[in-house]
Amino acid sequence: MSFVWSDRYVEEFRRDGYVIFRGIVPPALVRDLRREAHIGRDIARRERGTLAQRLHGIGRYEELSFRPFRDYLDLPALRDAVTRVLSPHHAPGTEDILSILIEPADKPWTTGWHRDVRDTERAPEVIERFWQDCLNLDLFNQVNCALYEDSCTWVVPGSHARRDTPAEAELATRSRIPAVPIPDPTGLSNEELERVNLEYCDQFPGAKRILLDPGDYAVYRNIMWHVGNYVPYRIRATLHDMVPTQTYRDWLRWKAPFDAKWRAAAPATPN
């Protein structure tokens, strides 16, 4: 069944902080994108080893055929749905920022529960402005488009439009980055680590796992509470992007000096 627009998508996005366009990418294009994603997986692991979780900026890699990615970014139904949910000046991203998310090669692992920007930035000025701008729909919109079934992402629906609840605030004060501490994998088998990570994701207040089928496209507010949980035995090839606007580009340009300052002040990583 081909994708059909519904006005309920707008309501869902504003209420929950995410919306899923089911089956919006045609099967033939999913096939072509899978072929390139498998090449991208090999490149990512060659560059970053078994811990690689993504290939960032696919436009930089001559080994990849860009045509399927251009067809994806220019897909009329997709561009129309994005502009209807957000605004006419929103559009899917570009090859410069488009990434391919992949499964871990060896061991299960999870990110920490967090809100992007609020919990991944260290500069107080950036965090303060985050709260000033968090309701601006020109900012903080990301995309996951699954080429295989993807159940890696967990979210707390509605948390994009509010500050932390008391329970969330108490968890967040235990650590800073990530906001909620990750389970210790030391001494655990893959099966034990998989179970521990699932329990970690499921026990967060209000947690809900998002299931994407091949060709599904999710737009979400990355400032909501969310986490990613990954296992090596399940193929993952999910296109990851932001929905850029000029306002968002200006925002990122504004915070760039703060990022550079904190990187320069960070202690050197041991070899």
Side-chain angles (χ1 to χ4, degrees):
M1 182 181 296
S2 59
F3 172 77
V4 177
W5 169 260
S6 171
D7 289 340
R8 68 178 172 82
Y9 291 130
V10 177
E11 178 184 351
E12 289 177 6
F13 182 74
R14 301 295 176 93
R15 180 192 67 219
D16 298 331
Y18 73 95
V19 65
I20 302 171
F21 304 139
R22 299 287 183 188
I24 196 168
V25 180
L29 182 52
V30 169
R31 177 198 62 211
D32 294 344
L33 289 166
R34 282 177 173 177
R35 181 187 64 240
E36 300 308 317
H38 284 296
I39 298 172
R41 176 184 291 103
D42 292 340
I43 296 172
R45 290 181 178 163
R46 185 179 70 221
E47 289 187 343
R48 303 185 62 186
T50 60
L51 295 179
Q53 59 134 332
R54 73 175 65 195
L55 185 73
H56 178 67
I58 59 94
R60 299 184 292 119
Y61 296 94
E62 295 182 357
E63 294 171 65
L64 297 173
S65 170
F66 298 157
R67 173 52 58 188
F69 299 107
R70 292 191 185 107
D71 291 344
Y72 159 73
L73 293 170
D74 291 337
L75 194 64
L78 186 56
R79 299 183 73 86
D80 178 66
V82 169
T83 58
R84 288 191 189 210
V85 162
L86 291 167
S87 82
H89 61 266
H90 286 80
T94 69
E95 294 158 6
D96 294 334
I97 56 177
L98 180 63
S99 301
I100 304 170
L101 304 180
I102 64 175
E103 76 279 7
D106 298 323
K107 294 185 71 67
W109 67 278
T110 183
T111 67
W113 276 101
H114 64 285
R115 298 177 185 261
D116 283 6
V117 182
R118 201 282 299 268
D119 296 322
T120 56
E121 297 289 340
R122 294 181 180 270
E125 299 91 338
V126 176
I127 297 169
E128 180 180 354
R129 184 162 173 181
F130 159 82
W131 286 117
Q132 295 173 4
D133 294 341
C134 65
L135 296 181
N136 186 345
L137 289 183
D138 278 353
L139 307 172
F140 313 133
N141 299 302
Q142 285 189 345
V143 166
N144 281 358
C145 180
L147 304 181
Y148 294 90
E149 183 180 291
D150 187 335
S151 59
C152 299
T153 304
W154 297 63
V155 301
V156 177
S159 59
H160 66 294
R162 59 167 174 76
R163 290 181 177 261
D164 296 345
T165 65
E168 292 167 351
E170 194 276 330
L171 286 168
T173 58
R174 297 180 185 176
S175 181
R176 239 338 255 166
I177 299 174
V180 184
I182 300 170
D184 182 0
T186 305
L188 298 181
S189 68
N190 277 13
E191 291 73 21
E192 290 169 331
L193 184 55
E194 179 182 5
R195 177 65 59 84
V196 167
N197 288 346
L198 279 170
E199 291 173 350
Y200 168 79
C201 294
D202 190 45
Q203 289 174 5
F204 194 84
K208 177 180 180 180
R209 181 159 30 176
I210 294 177
L211 175 63
L212 300 179
D213 289 316
D216 288 354
Y217 183 100
V219 184
Y220 63 97
R221 302 284 286 161
N222 65 6
I223 59 175
M224 65 165 44
W225 280 104
H226 63 285
V227 68
N229 184 45
Y230 315 103
V231 291
Y233 59 78
R234 183 181 298 122
I235 294 177
R236 191 183 197 213
T238 294
L239 304 181
H240 179 67
D241 206 350
M242 70 175 184
V243 185
T245 62
Q246 187 57 51
T247 301
Y248 203 177
R249 294 185 184 96
D250 292 342
W251 203 96
L252 295 173
R253 192 177 299 112
W254 168 81
K255 83 178 185 72
F258 298 101
D259 297 340
K261 176 183 176 182
W262 281 101
R263 282 195 299 269
T269 303
N271 293 328

